[in-house]
């Protein structure tokens, strides 16, 4: 009876946790976007020009190209094709205005329709902009300035590991800027390098980088699964802080931090700018109400270049999926964009184990099954304690029913008789509680691992399950889960309270309906876990009843 209540409490806890998690995404406490300074690190915003916000195109100065190369005279899009990215770069600012992920499709049933992560179209507008800013007007090309290009098409050839796209800009005072976007094979990182040659006087300025996006319009979104979409910033001091689109619209961010990075993220993908390491950066945000555009960016501390000298400024742009182990190698903390929340300490080892099984079976469905078996084995002894307690309670259930009939409404006498019986039979009515409570964080962590991992996006399993991140098209797994839950209830001691009996009769049907809309990978985990639990509980119950 006590364990039946515990099962109900566990169910309610899980539902409350999911509601709380979604509330945190939508309405949870936000970091206050305020300016922070320290004596060791100050980015002086007054000494440098403001980042241009208008869409006006500036064409001041001339462009320098190698001799014999024909100049492109107007703003245009440069097409760049690598093995993983199909990109368009606008010569206005040298911005990445379109990026297609060639290894990822929009839906599993149409693999030919590749996912567009960046676009300058009105729907789901999102672009990656960068530029230079200086106190001397006209001496630095912003994201509104026109660059010149040697050609308008670049392709990563077979056997070629690196592809460079050079852009050129020069003003009448002799300041020359060469902006190079470097692509690498099997890599979602774009190196953005500025080679700045000062003119007839000292040049002082800095680079900035920003992601500009509109409110997302999500297609085929599972209404039962809610994940974070918005901005994040990170450095060693503040660690990982979110600034969602509502934060950006409400108040401009102005925060000075050492090094770090920024990103706009959604469920499975990110666009991240990583400034040059070791620099002091001013992180900022803006909201354009007229266009409904949200901007999250960073500007580095000033660089001074003597007249006639050349200096280099570097940054990196990441456009792609949130592949956890690749993100760890790119920049510390970037893997945190795969957000497991407060259960990261459990979720990371679970993902490592899941990935290890995938390397063996090359199938995420089998990886989920064997991960479930492994987790169940690790908690075998704890589960055994719980099931033994349930079996003993089941064995004395008829005697408890007789006590209820004997004592009627005398609850005090009923409770005393039950406690005396528990002592004689050496039964701890709460013996099943602790083992289940210990396992709850692991179960919830595994839920987030299966939900957050882009590695499983659109991954097939077997037979009718062609997409583990979508619901079961024929609802077979949810029905199996409901049946397994019903069987588990039959193995547990029946509640004495008639109201509890009715609640538990409804639960399998309610969970079947709820899980019908969950990703099939999650339901697969619950079905396998329930089958293993039923097997273990059945064996233990038979032993106790026959003893």
């Amino acid at each position: 009876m006590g364990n039946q209540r515990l099962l109900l409490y566990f169910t309610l806890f899980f539902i409350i946790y999911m509601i709380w998690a979604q509330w945190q995404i939508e309405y949870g406490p936000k970091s206050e976007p305020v300016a922070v300074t320290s004596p060791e690190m100050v980015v002086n915003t007054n000494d440098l020009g403001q980042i241009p916000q208008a869409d006006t195109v500036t064409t001041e100065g001339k462009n320098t190209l190698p001799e014999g190369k024909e100049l492109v005279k107007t703003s245009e899009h440069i097409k760049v094709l690598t093995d993983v990215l199909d990109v368009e770069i606008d010569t206005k600012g040298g911005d990445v205005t379109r990026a297609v992920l060639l290894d990822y499709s929009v839906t599993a049933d149409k693999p030919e329709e590749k996912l567009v992560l960046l676009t300058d179209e009105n729907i789901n507008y999102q672009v990656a902009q960068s530029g230079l800013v200086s106190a001397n007007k006209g001496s630095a090309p912003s994201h509104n300035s026109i660059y010149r290009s040697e050609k308008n098409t670049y392709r990563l050839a077979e056997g070629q590991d690196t592809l460079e796209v050079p852009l050129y800009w020069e003003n009448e005072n002799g300041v020359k800027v060469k902006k190079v976007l470097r692509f690498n094979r099997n890599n979602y990182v774009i190196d953005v390098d500025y080679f700045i040659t000062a003119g007839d006087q000292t040049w002082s300025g800095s680079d900035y980088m920003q992601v500009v996006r509109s409110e997302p319009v999500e297609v085929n979104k599972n209404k039962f699964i809610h994940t974070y979409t918005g901005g994040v910033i990170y450095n060693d001091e503040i660690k990982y802080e979110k600034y969602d689109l509502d934060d950006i619209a409400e108040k401009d961010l102005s925060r000075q931090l050492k090094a770090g990075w920024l990103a706009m993220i959604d469920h499975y993908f990110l666009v991240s700018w990583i400034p040059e390491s070791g620099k002091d950066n001013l992180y900022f945000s803006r909201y354009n109400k007229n266009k409904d555009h949200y901007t999250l960016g960073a500007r580095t501390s000033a660089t001074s270049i003597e007249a006639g000298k050349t200096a280099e400024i570097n940054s990196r742009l990441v456009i792609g999926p949130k592949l956890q182990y690749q993100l760890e190698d790119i920049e510390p903390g970037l893997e945190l964009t795969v957000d497991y929340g407060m259960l990261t300490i459990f979720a990371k080892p679970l993902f490592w184990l899941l990935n290890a099984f995938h390397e063996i079976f090359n199938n995420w469905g089998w990886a989920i099954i064997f991960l479930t078996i492994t987790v169940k084995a690790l908690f075998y002894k704890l589960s055994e304690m719980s099931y033994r307690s349930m079996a003993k309670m089941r064995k004395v259930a008829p005697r408890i029913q007789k006590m209820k009939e004997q004592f009627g409404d005398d609850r005090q006498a009923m409770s005393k008789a039950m406690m005396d019986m528990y002592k004689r039979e050496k039964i701890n009515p709460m013996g099943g509680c602790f083992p289940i409570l210990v396992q709850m964080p692991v179960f919830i962590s595994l839920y987030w691992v299966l939900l957050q991992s882009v590695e499983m996006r659109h991954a097939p399993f077997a037979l009718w399950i062609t997409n583990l991140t979508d619901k079961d098209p024929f609802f077979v797994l949810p029905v199996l889960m409901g049946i397994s839950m019903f069987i588990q209830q039959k193995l547990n001691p029946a509640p004495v309270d008639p109201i509890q009996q009715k609640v538990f009769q409804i639960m399998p049907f309610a969970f079947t309906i709820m899980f019908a809309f969950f990703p099939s990978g999650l339901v697969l985990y619950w079905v396998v876990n329930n089958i293993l639990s039923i097997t273990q509980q059945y064996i233990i119950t038979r032993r106790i009843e026959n003893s």
Side-chain angles (χ1 to χ4, degrees):
M1 180 169 58
N3 289 290
Q4 287 281 10
R5 290 194 185 98
L6 180 65
L7 180 60
L8 179 59
Y9 295 154
F10 175 80
T11 302
L12 291 174
F13 174 85
F14 183 77
I15 294 172
I16 291 170
Y17 172 81
M18 297 307 301
I19 295 172
W20 174 85
Q22 177 58 21
W23 185 90
Q24 286 291 104
I25 292 173
E26 300 289 347
Y27 307 108
K30 312 296 184 183
S31 301
E32 186 68 18
V34 296
V36 178
T37 59
S38 66
E40 298 80 15
M41 180 207 71
V42 175
V43 179
N44 194 329
T45 58
N46 297 320
D47 292 344
L48 300 175
Q50 293 299 309
I51 297 171
Q53 290 302 300
D55 287 333
T56 357
V57 176
T58 59
T59 56
E60 69 273 21
K62 301 177 181 178
N63 299 76
T64 302
L65 277 173
E67 290 185 9
K69 297 292 184 180
E70 183 178 354
L71 297 182
V72 179
K73 298 180 181 180
T74 58
S75 171
E76 66 172 9
H77 283 173
I78 302 168
K79 291 189 65 65
V80 182
L81 185 65
T82 74
D83 56 329
V84 294
L85 288 171
D86 183 355
V87 167
E88 289 185 7
I89 301 170
D90 196 341
T91 54
K92 175 189 170 183
D95 300 331
V96 181
T97 56
R98 183 176 174 84
V100 181
L101 307 185
L102 299 178
D103 289 339
Y104 295 86
S105 58
V106 178
T107 58
D109 56 340
K110 294 182 179 178
E112 70 281 358
E113 294 183 6
K114 302 303 179 183
L115 188 137
V116 180
L117 188 55
L118 294 184
T119 177
D120 57 0
E121 297 177 359
N122 292 329
I123 302 298
N124 284 328
Y125 178 94
Q126 185 172 217
V127 298
Q129 298 176 338
S130 58
L132 299 173
V133 62
S134 173
N136 297 326
K137 187 177 180 181
S139 65
S142 72
H143 64 278
N144 289 320
S145 302
I146 292 290
Y147 285 86
R148 298 302 176 102
S149 173
E150 297 178 76
K151 52 184 182 178
N152 56 16
T153 303
Y154 292 83
R155 180 186 292 268
L156 186 68
E158 194 71 32
Q160 183 182 4
D161 291 329
T162 303
L163 178 64
E164 291 189 353
V165 179
L167 302 169
Y168 302 87
W169 180 94
E170 182 180 353
N171 75 353
E172 63 276 7
N173 295 323
V175 178
K176 299 178 183 179
V177 176
K178 179 182 178 182
K179 182 177 183 178
V180 179
L181 290 86
R182 185 181 301 105
F183 299 79
N184 298 288
R185 181 172 294 279
N186 192 31
N187 204 316
Y188 294 99
V189 180
I190 304 171
D191 298 307
V192 181
D193 303 327
Y194 290 95
F195 299 90
I196 306 162
T197 301
D200 52 12
Q201 58 183 350
T202 299
W203 186 92
S204 180
S206 65
D207 68 321
Y208 67 91
M209 57 225 71
Q210 57 191 29
V211 182
V212 185
R213 71 168 301 157
S214 62
E215 189 82 32
V217 179
E218 301 185 63
V219 182
N220 300 322
K221 180 177 174 62
N222 190 327
K223 295 181 179 179
F224 287 82
I225 303 298
H226 299 278
T227 55
Y228 177 77
T229 297
V232 295
I233 61 174
Y234 174 95
N235 88 331
D236 291 336
E237 178 189 348
I238 66 167
K239 296 306 181 183
Y240 185 84
E241 289 191 359
K242 296 178 180 178
Y243 292 92
D244 64 26
L245 302 185
D246 290 337
D247 292 331
I248 295 173
E250 182 179 342
K251 187 175 182 180
D252 288 349
L253 165 70
S254 179
R255 191 159 191 182
Q256 297 182 14
L257 298 170
K258 183 77 172 179
W261 49 262
L262 66 94
M264 282 285 193
I265 66 173
D266 57 28
H267 188 174
Y268 291 123
F269 304 96
L270 85 163
V271 182
S272 175
W273 277 108
I274 307 170
E276 190 171 346
S277 61
K279 284 199 171 183
D280 303 332
N281 305 316
L282 173 66
Y283 289 87
F284 62 87
S285 69
R286 293 193 182 98
Y287 174 60
N288 187 325
K289 188 175 182 180
N290 294 329
K291 294 185 176 182
D292 196 27
H293 284 177
Y294 304 82
T295 299
L296 182 64
R299 190 167 85 187
T300 64
S301 51
T303 298
S304 183
I305 308 171
E306 295 180 5
K309 300 293 185 180
T310 299
E312 183 178 349
I313 299 177
N314 313 109
S315 62
R316 287 176 292 165
L317 172 63
V318 186
I319 305 172
K322 295 192 289 188
L323 297 167
Q324 297 177 52
Y325 294 138
Q326 289 188 18
L327 295 178
E328 287 179 357
D329 294 337
I330 294 170
E331 188 70 13
L334 202 58
E335 75 280 1
L336 294 177
T337 54
V338 184
D339 192 358
Y340 299 134
M342 63 181 180
L343 296 174
T344 299
I345 190 173
F346 298 107
K348 278 196 170 184
L350 287 172
F351 177 77
W352 178 87
L353 191 59
L354 185 68
N355 191 63
F357 282 123
H358 178 258
E359 290 180 358
I360 296 172
F361 299 105
N362 197 31
N363 183 296
W364 286 108
W366 287 110
I368 291 171
I369 290 173
F370 278 89
L371 173 67
T372 311
I373 293 171
T374 304
V375 171
K376 197 68 179 173
L378 290 174
F379 287 104
Y380 179 84
K381 282 297 179 182
L382 285 174
S383 299
E384 186 179 40
M385 290 170 56
S386 177
Y387 296 146
R388 281 185 180 278
S389 177
M390 290 182 185
K392 289 179 180 179
M393 291 290 294
R394 176 185 170 94
K395 189 175 182 179
V396 300
R399 292 157 64 181
I400 294 175
Q401 183 63 38
K402 286 182 180 179
M403 288 180 187
K404 184 182 178 183
E405 294 171 358
Q406 177 183 350
F407 294 104
D409 295 331
D410 191 347
R411 293 183 176 273
Q412 186 175 357
M414 172 76 174
S415 297
K416 185 178 184 305
M418 286 176 61
M419 293 305 297
D420 291 341
M421 182 189 67
Y422 289 155
K423 287 179 181 179
R424 289 194 305 271
E425 300 293 335
K426 297 180 180 179
I427 296 174
N428 179 2
M430 299 302 291
C433 296
F434 178 71
I436 293 179
L437 288 173
V438 170
Q439 297 177 61
M440 282 168 59
V442 177
F443 293 148
I444 296 172
S445 298
L446 187 56
Y447 169 85
W448 284 110
V449 167
L450 299 178
L451 180 66
Q452 288 284 348
S453 301
V454 68
E455 289 82 354
M456 279 179 281
R457 183 179 183 268
H458 295 172
F461 173 39
L463 302 175
W464 72 97
I465 304 297
T466 58
N467 182 3
L468 287 167
T469 56
D470 197 9
K471 64 183 180 182
D472 185 332
F474 302 112
F475 306 109
V476 175
L477 287 177
V479 170
L480 289 176
M481 198 219 64
I483 293 172
S484 66
M485 196 171 180
F486 178 78
I487 295 172
Q488 272 188 302
Q489 286 188 4
K490 292 299 180 182
L491 291 173
N492 292 334
V496 177
D497 186 354
I499 296 178
Q500 286 189 32
Q501 290 180 7
K502 292 180 180 179
V503 171
F504 279 98
Q505 288 172 0
I506 295 172
M507 278 176 59
F509 300 101
F511 266 65
T512 299
I513 294 171
M514 184 173 71
F515 273 68
F517 301 95
F518 273 37
S520 54
L522 293 174
V523 186
L524 176 63
Y525 159 73
W526 283 104
V527 169
V528 175
N529 183 72
N530 282 357
I531 291 172
L532 294 174
S533 298
I534 289 169
T535 304
Q536 185 183 8
Q537 188 173 358
Y538 177 80
I539 294 171
I540 292 172
T541 301
R542 294 283 79 82
R543 286 176 182 172
I544 296 295
E545 289 180 346
N546 295 331
S547 62

